[in-house]
Amino acid sequence: MTTAAIVEPLDSGLAPATDRESTRLLRRLLRRPVTVVCMVWLAVVVIVAIVAPILMPHVASQNAGNIFKVLQGPSRQHLLGTDSVGRDVLDRLLVGTRVTMLGVVESVFVTLVIGVPAGLAAGYLGGRTDRAIGWLTDLTLSLPGIALVLVVLSIFPSSMLAGMVTLGVILSPFTTRVVRSATLPIREELYIAAAQVSGLSRFYIITRHVLSRILGVVIVLAAIYAATSLVTQTGLAYLGLIVPLPAPSWGGMVGDGISALTNQPWLIWPPGVAMTLTVVAFGLLGDAVRDVTAERWSGARVQRPGRRRAAPMAGAGPSPVAPAPASDALLCVQNLTVRFPSRGSVRVIDDVSFEIAAGETVGLVGESGCGKTVTAMSLLRLLPGDGEIVAGRITFDGRDLASLPEEQLRRVRGREIGLISQEPMVSLTPAFRVGWQLALSVRVHHGVSRRAAQATAIELLRSVHLPDPGLVARLYPHELSGGMAQRVAIARALAGEPKLLIADEPTTALDVTVQAEILELLRELQRDRGMAILLVTHDWGVVADLCDRAVVMYAGQVVEQAELNPLFRRPLHPYTRALLMSDLHNAPDLDHLPSIPGSVPKPGAWPHGCHFHPRCGYATAACRDQPIPLEHPTAGRDTRCIHADQLSVLR
Amino acid sequence: MTDSGALLDVRDLTVEYSRGRGRPPLRAVDGVSFSLTARETLGLVGESGSGKTTIGRAILGLAPVTAGEIRFAGEEITAASRQRRRALSTELQVVFQDPYSSLNPTRTIGQTLSEVMRAHGRPAREDVQERVHAMLEHVGLPSDATDRYPAHFSGGQRQRVAIARALMNQPRLVICDEPTSALDLSVQAQVLNLLRGLQHEFELGYLFISHDLAVVRHLSHRIVVLYRGRIMEHGDAAAVYANPAHPYTVALLDAAPVPDPEIQQQRRGVRVRKAVTGPPVDDANGCSFAPRCPHVIDRCRTSRPALEAMPEGTLVACHRWRELHTNGANSRPPQPLSTTT
Amino acid sequence: MSALTHSGMWRPAGRMVGHPVVRVVLRRAVLAVPLLFVVSALSFVLSSLAPTNVIDLRLPSGTAAQRAQLARQLGFDQPIYDRYWHWLVHALGGNLGTSYVTGQRVTTEIGQRFPVTLSLVIPTMLVMFVIGVGAGVASAVRGGAVGRAIDTLSLVGFALPGFWVGAVLVSLFAVRLHLFPAIGYVSLAQSPTDWARSMVLPVAALSLLPIAVMARQMREAMMDVLASEHVRMARANGIPPRLIVGRLALKSASMRAVTVGGLQVVGLLTGTLFVEQVFTLPGLGSGLTAAASTGDVPVLQGIVVFFTLIIVVINLAVDLTYTLLDPRMRTS
C-alpha cells in the first residue's frame, strides 16, 4: 500500500525563497534608505581611517604648525580652521580617525569574543555551567568598570590597547546576558530536541542551529557596543589617558577645543560632529538590523512604531454605514468584510452574514485560517494591528457596531457584549490580584463603591463555582490553574451582565475533563441569565454539546448555516460533509480515515469562484467561474453550494 | 506483559523533578511499566500532568530518570552515554507535536533532512540526495521541497517533513508525541493515515502519545491510561475504549464530546457529577485519583492500588474494579454510529 | 498538598510578603562581602603595579637613605599580599591610608568629594526618571508624530557624548550668555542658589544619555504591554484607556523602568568622570582621574572600593524594588 496518499502541490504565495539567509537579510537592509546612508557613512569613516595616515604621515608627529595662524576659524586654506598651536584641524581630524576607530574595534572584538561563547554555553548547557558563568557575570557587572579601566591605564600609561581591552572585558557580561537570554528560548524549540535525538553533536547544534538564529542579536549588540566604545574612547582620549601627544584623536581634539573654549569656540565642533554622526550611524544600523530580523519571521514589513497610522489605543475607526436589517435578532451581521492593509490589503473575511437571537447559542465553526476569530473580534472592533472593517453592518440591539464611534463602542464592550479568549492564563494582568481586576470591571460597568464592587466580585467568583471565592480573589493570575483561570475570565466577562458572550475557543487550551466542566458552566450561566453565546471553535464535539445553531466558515466565507440536528444529519455543503466525515470520533474503527485532499488557501490566494472547489469532489465548471452567493434552500438553513441537492444524508 | 523479545521494555520508570529547598520533589512519572514489540503501536493517554510526555522524553534521553529501567532491543539505555545515544538515534526516533517549532526556520527542508543522515558516518552525497527524495515521496511531498524553507509549508505539510526526518535513518521505534494535536481536523486524518501506512511499509513500532483517546484508539493496538504519573489502566485498545475498567478512563471518555447532538444530550444526562470535596490525600500512600473519583472509599485514600489483571487481560489499578465492572457502573452510554460513506 | 491541588484546580498560595524582603537584603549583603574583597584585592594588586613617583614627589632632593626610609614606610619592600593585608585591616577599621600627592587621609578626601558627586548624580537620577519615563510612556500611548519625535531625540541623546555636550553648553550658556557659571562648584551649605546654578549645566550634560535610554526603553516596554493579551482583554471588557494605561500598563512596565534605571545609575558613575572634568567639579570622578594620572595609589584604591560599595547599594535597591513590584517574586 503506498503511503503517499496525495502528492501535495505547494502553494507558493511568496517568491521562491531559495537564497541564503544572509543575502536576504542584506537585501532587506538595503531597501531602507536611512540604513544605506548609515552604511555609506561608516564605509567612508573606515576608508579614511585606513588611508589618511598613509597619505599624511607627518600629521601624527606634528608638534606645532604655523604659529602665526593659531586658533583660526574655517578659511580657504584651512577648511576647518587651526588649533591652539596652528595645526590644520581637518588634517588632524582625518588622521585621528584611525586611532579612534581602532579603539572601537578592539573593544567590540574583546567583548564579543568573551561574551558570545559564554552566553551560548550558559544558555545551552545550563545547570552548573550556567550557574558558574552567571556568578562570574554578576561579579563583573558589580565592578566599577570605568574605575578599573583607569587603574589598568595607570599600569600601562597611554596604552589604548590596554584601556580598550579592559573596556571590552567590562562590557562582556552584558553580552553574556543578552546572548544567554536569546539562547534560552531557542534551546526550548523542538527542533533542537529533534536535532539531539537525530544524533547531532552538541557543537554542531550550537554552531549551526543556535548561533545562526542569534546572529541578528549579536549584530545589534555589536552596533550598540561600537557606539558605546566610541563615546568612551573619545572620553578617555579627552582625559588624555590613552593617546600620547602629539598624535591626533577625536577625543583629544575635543580636549584641545575645551581649553580654547573662550577664544575659539568653533574648535569643539568638527570632532564633535564627526563623533555624533558616527555614533548615530551605528545606532541606526543596529535598529535596522533588529527590525529586519524581526521581519523575517512575520513576513510582513515591520512598521516602525512611529509610522503606524492610528495610535495604539484608538483601534480601527468606524466604517461606512449600511442599511438596517429587517429581523429583530439580538445580533445581526450582514456582509461583513475585513481587511488588513499592512498585509497587502487582502480581505481576510468576505461577505460574512449570520444572526444570533436572544438567549441562543450559535457556534462559529471552522479550521484555522477560515477567519472565525477575525469575525468574532471584529464584532467589538478589537482587530489586531491595523485590521479594518471595509464593508458590512453589525446590528446589535438596534445600533450598528461597525460605524459606532469609539466612545460609545467602549460602553458596549463588557457591558452588553462580553468576551472570553482561548488562553485564560494570559488574559489576566499578572501584576494585580484576581479579585482586584474583577472589582475594577464591576466598578467600570456599574459605578459602585470599592467595597460594593469587592463584594460583587466575590459573588461573581462564587457563581462560577470556584471553591472559597474569598481566597481566590486574593490570588495572582500565575497562581491559578488553567481551569480556574478560565472560570475567573468568565466571571469577569459576566461582571457587566452582558446580553451576548463571545467565547473564542474557550476550552481549546484546557484538559478534556476541565473542558466538560467549563462547557457545563457556560450552559448553566446561559440558562440562568438568558444570555446569548457566540462560540468560536474548531471542535465539532463542543458544537454538538453546547450550541443550538452552527455557522460553518471556510477561507473567509460562511459556507453553511443551520440548526444542529439538521446540520449533522444532512450537511448542505461538501466541506461540512467532508469535515464531519473525517472526524475521528465518528469512525474510530476505520482503517483508513476519509480526509480532504490539499490544504486551506490563505487570504490573498483564494480561488476564484467557490473557495472550496479545488478540493471538492462535486465541483463543476460553474463552481469555478463566478463567486457563489449564500442561498437559503429552506427556512433557517443557508448554504454556499450550488450542488447542495446532490449531497446525500450523512446519518 | 514484559516480553524478552520486546523492542522497548520500560520497568518501574520514575522521574522526579526537584522543586527547590524545603519542598518535596515533583513526581512526574511514578512506577510506570510497559513494553512494545515491532510493528505494534502502544498508545499513552493522559491529560496535562499525566507524565506521558515525560515518559517519551525519558526514553529519548531528554529527561533525567530517577529510578527504573528502560531497555531497547534488550539493551539497557536508562543512563546511556552521549555517544551511545547518538548511535541509538538511528534506531529510536521522534515526531513532535508542534510543527512550527520542530523545524529550524533558517534551514531548508533539504538541509534539515540531510543533516540527520550525515550525522552518522560519511555517506556519499548522491546517497544522501537519493534518500532525501525517496523520503519526501514516501510522505507525499514533491521533490522541489528540498530547496524551500519551512515558512512556505502549512502545518500538515511540516508535520510530514518531521515524519520524513524521523525516518531518514530507518529507525525501528518512533515516539510520536502528540503529532496531530496542533493540526486541523481534516489534516489530522491525512497525517494519521500516513503514519499508519508508514508503519506497515517500514515495520515500525510506535509509542503514540496523546491526550485524545479517540485518536489513540484509532492508531493503537494497546493503550496505557495515565493519571498524574501513574498507570490507571493498561490493555487492548478496543477493549479499553469500549469497556473501560478504571473510573478515570470512564471520566476521560465521558468528558470528550462527540460530534452528534442527540448522543451528546444523552451523555450529558448520564454523566456522573464529581464534587470537588474531600480531605487531602497523601500522594505516596493513596490512589492519586481519589479526590475526584465518584466511587471513592476510605481504602482508596490510604493504600495505593496495584495493577491487577482482569479476566479480559486488561490491567487496572483500582481497589474496586471487580464490583464496578460487574455492576456495570462503568458501562457507557450508546456510542455514535459509524457513518455511511 | 491540599485536596484542591489534587482536583487539578488549585495551586499553593503565596507566602507572607515580609519574608522575601529580608531574604533579598540578606542575599545581597552576603554576596557583597566576597565582592568587595575580590574587587579591593584586584584593584590593589593592579594599582600596585603602576609606576609611581611618590618618592620623587615627597623627597625631590632627598638622600638615598632618606628615600630608602620613605620606601620602607610606604611598605614598598614588603611582598604584595602583606601590603594588601595591611591595607585590608586598616580599611576595616576605617582607615584607607593617605594620599601620595596631598598627604591627606583618603577617607577625608572621599568625604569631601562625595557630596559633590552626589549633587550631580541625584538630580540627574530624578530628571532621568521624570522626563525619561514620562517621554517614553507618552510616546508609546500617543504614537504618530510625537512617537517619532521622541524616537529621534532618543537617538540623538544616545549619540551625543556627555563631555562634548558639556563643552557645548558651557560655550553657549556660560561663555556667550553668561547665564550659568562655566566651572567650579559651590556647596549647598554655602549658597543654595549658587549651588543650583552651578549644577544646571553639568546635570544637563550628564542626564542626556540616561534620559534617552530610559525614554527608549520605556517606550518599548509600554508598547509591548499595550500589545499584550491581557491589555487586549481589558479593552474587550470595556476598561477605559486611562485606566488601562495608568494602572494596568504602567504597573506591568514598571519593572523595566527599574531595571533600566538601575543600570543607568551605575552608568552615571562613569559619566561623572568626564562631566566633572569638563566643569571642573571636585567630585569623586575627577578625583579618580587625577589619582590615575598621578599614580596616587591609595586614593585610587579608596575611590574604587567606594564606587563598588555604591554599586552594591544600587543593586540592593533595585532588588528590593523588584520584590515590591513583581508578585511572582514574592511567592516563588
Side-chain angles (χ1 to χ4, degrees), chain A residues 139 143 150 155 235 238 268 272 275 284 287 304-306 311 377 382 413 419 429 445 476 478-479 481 484, chain C residues 9 11 14 35 39 46 142 148 151 155 161 164 216 219 223 230 232 235-237 241 273-274 278 327 331:
Chain A
L139 184 69
L143 296 175
L150 288 186
I155 305 175
Y238 155 66
I268 58 172
M275 283 176 350
L284 285 175
D287 274 353
R304 291 298 309 283
M377 290 299 118
L382 285 172
R413 292 186 192 134
L419 174 68
T429 306
H445 295 307
Y476 286 95
H478 68 279
E479 298 174 297
S481 68
M484 284 176 81
Chain C
M9 283 180 74
R11 298 252 190 91
L35 174 70
V39 173
L46 286 178
R142 285 282 162 79
R148 260 174 293 151
D151 228 15
L155 188 60
W164 184 74
R216 231 334 168 68
R219 178 179 154 75
M223 294 190 69
H230 65 89
R232 189 179 77 106
R235 280 181 67 207
N237 272 280
L273 254 78
F274 304 107
V278 173
T331 58

Side-chain angles (χ1 to χ4, degrees), chain A residues 506-518:
Chain A
T507 56
T508 305
L510 303 173
D511 282 331
V512 69
T513 47
V514 179
Q515 170 177 279
E517 292 169 21
I518 297 287

Side-chain angles (χ1 to χ4, degrees), chain A residues 329-405:
Chain A
L330 179 66
L331 176 77
C332 179
V333 179
Q334 291 168 284
N335 313 111
L336 189 64
T337 305
V338 170
R339 198 180 57 157
F340 283 86
S342 63
R343 290 192 215 155
S345 259
V346 293
R347 280 167 296 159
V348 179
I349 59 172
D350 186 31
D351 195 39
V352 167
S353 307
F354 60 91
E355 282 182 9
I356 305 180
E360 193 183 22
T361 308
V362 173
L364 195 54
V365 198
E367 298 179 292
S368 53
C370 70
K372 54 192 193 295
T373 300
V374 170
T375 308
M377 290 299 118
S378 63
L379 297 179
L380 288 173
R381 291 222 304 267
L382 285 172
L383 293 166
D386 58 345
E388 55 185 9
I389 301 173
V390 292
R393 194 188 161 98
I394 306 171
T395 314
F396 179 77
D397 216 23
R399 286 158 291 172
D400 178 16
L401 299 181
S403 58
L404 212 60

Side-chain angles (χ1 to χ4, degrees), chain C residues 207-227:
Chain C
S207 59
L208 212 54
L209 176 68
I211 292 177
V213 172
M214 183 64 98
R216 231 334 168 68
Q217 291 287 322
M218 280 310 288
R219 178 179 154 75
E220 283 176 12
M222 282 298 282
M223 294 190 69
D224 280 345
V225 172
L226 288 175

Side-chain angles (χ1 to χ4, degrees), chain C residues 176-202:
Chain C
R176 272 273 188 92
L177 299 175
H178 298 288
L179 273 175
F180 301 105
I183 59 171
Y185 171 76
V186 179
S187 82
L188 184 58
Q190 245 183 304
S191 160
T193 30
D194 281 342
W195 171 82
R197 281 185 73 217
S198 69
M199 280 294 126
V200 169
L201 294 183

